[in-house]
């Protein structure tokens, strides 16, 4: 009996989902720009992003796309990352593609003589970048921007292990989030900093946004040392979307990858 109920519930959910998709499609048709919403599955998935909107052409034409399988090409004396996080979070939002935590003004990251401001961080399950062929179950991206729109990302990998206490605090909000509706999120600067490993050795390379419009000239910094997240934390994030929200690795095309 219970099994039947479950099956019916799934069937009804599937029906509702189909109806919603059809309703959205109709809306799209009448929308002036004819922009289809991008996603991670099927005909709006990564392989089709550039077909969905002319603005997304870099997703297929770009030669320095992200993510990549990081295999270092040059051993250099990289300077320590000059991170000054002083601000806490403002809001948290499930934007339909990831869960994003927006950051208050005042957190800076200096790289190559330019100051970038921390804007937000978000998560991918499983990881987008690989390291020497290895994928990780979770990756966090800290997105920084200059006032004129230059971008720098710092990425943190997570292995499956002990539960992460800061993620616990964030994850508590997940079930309450309605897609597209930002709610308050009270993370301190110290808690945000705790989402980066103590050993701050990193890989450095040029890449792109890993989501449409896949814009390039993004400075990437990926910490070598992963943090831990519990299996439950990883599964909870996955279940929120029900699909992996990672773009597959892209060709490096002979890119310089420093370590
Ligand atoms: Zn990302």
């Amino acid at each position: 009996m219970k099994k039947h109920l479950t099956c019916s519930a799934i069937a009804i959910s599937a029906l509702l989902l189909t109806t919603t998709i059809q309703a959205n499609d109709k809306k799209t048709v009448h929308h002036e720009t004819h922009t289809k919403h991008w996603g991670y599955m099927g005909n709006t998935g990564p392989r089709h992003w550039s077909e969905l909107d002319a603005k997304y052409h870099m997703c297929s034409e770009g030669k320095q796309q992200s993510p990549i399988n990081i295999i270092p090409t040059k051993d250099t004396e990289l300077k320590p990352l000059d991170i000054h996080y002083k601000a806490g979070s403002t809001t948290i939002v499930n934007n339909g593609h990831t869960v994003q935590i927006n950051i208050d003004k005042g957190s800076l990251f200096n790289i190559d003589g330019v100051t970038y401001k921390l804007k937000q961080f978000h998560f991918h399950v499983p990881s987008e970048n690989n390291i020497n062929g290895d994928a990780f179950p979770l990756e966090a991206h800290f997105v920084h921007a200059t006032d004129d729109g230059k971008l720098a990302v710092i990425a943190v990998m997570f292995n499956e292990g002990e539960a992460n206490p800061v993620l616990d605090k964030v994850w508590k909000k997940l079930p309450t989030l309605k897609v597209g509706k930002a709610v308050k999120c009270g993370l301190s600067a110290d808690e945000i900093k705790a989402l980066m490993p103590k050993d701050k050795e990193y890989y450095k390379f040029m890449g792109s946004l890993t989501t449409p419009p896949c814009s390039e000239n993004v400075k990437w910094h990926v910490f070598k040392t992963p943090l831990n997240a519990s299996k439950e934390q990883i599964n909870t994030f996955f279940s929120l979307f029900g699909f992996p929200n990672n773009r597959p690795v892209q060709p490096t095309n002979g890119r310089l990858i420093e370590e």
Side-chain angles (χ1 to χ4, degrees), residues 213-225:
C214 307
S215 319
E216 295 192 335
N217 294 316
V218 178
K219 285 177 187 277
W220 277 86
H221 314 81
V222 179
F223 285 122
K224 291 184 178 184
T225 306

Side-chain angles (χ1 to χ4, degrees), residues 115-189:
T115 297
Y116 294 75
K117 297 169 180 172
L118 177 62
K119 298 290 180 181
Q120 47 102 339
F121 66 92
H122 62 264
F123 301 93
H124 299 272
V125 171
S127 72
E128 297 207 296
N129 290 295
N130 290 7
I131 299 179
N132 293 312
D134 291 328
F136 294 78
L138 171 69
E139 181 174 352
H141 289 158
F142 294 78
V143 181
H144 310 74
T146 60
D147 290 334
D148 58 349
K150 289 195 217 40
L151 295 172
V153 178
I154 298 176
V156 180
M157 298 298 184
F158 290 78
N159 270 327
E160 194 184 302
E162 294 271 301
N164 182 293
V166 180
L167 292 189
D168 241 0
K169 199 168 168 183
V170 176
W171 263 222
K172 279 203 175 73
K173 302 263 180 192
L174 299 187
T176 68
L177 297 177
K178 293 199 183 85
V179 175
K181 194 169 184 296
V183 298
K184 273 194 178 171
C185 178
L187 285 184
S188 67

Side-chain angles (χ1 to χ4, degrees), residues 11 19 22 40 46 66 69 76 87 89-90 101 112 127 135 145 163 176 181 193 198 222 243 257:
T19 316
Q22 280 167 351
Y40 287 99
S66 286
N69 177 25
T76 43
S89 62
T90 53
I101 290 92
D112 303 329
S127 72
T176 68
K181 194 169 184 296
K193 279 187 276 193
K198 286 201 178 72
V222 179
F243 53 81
I257 303 173

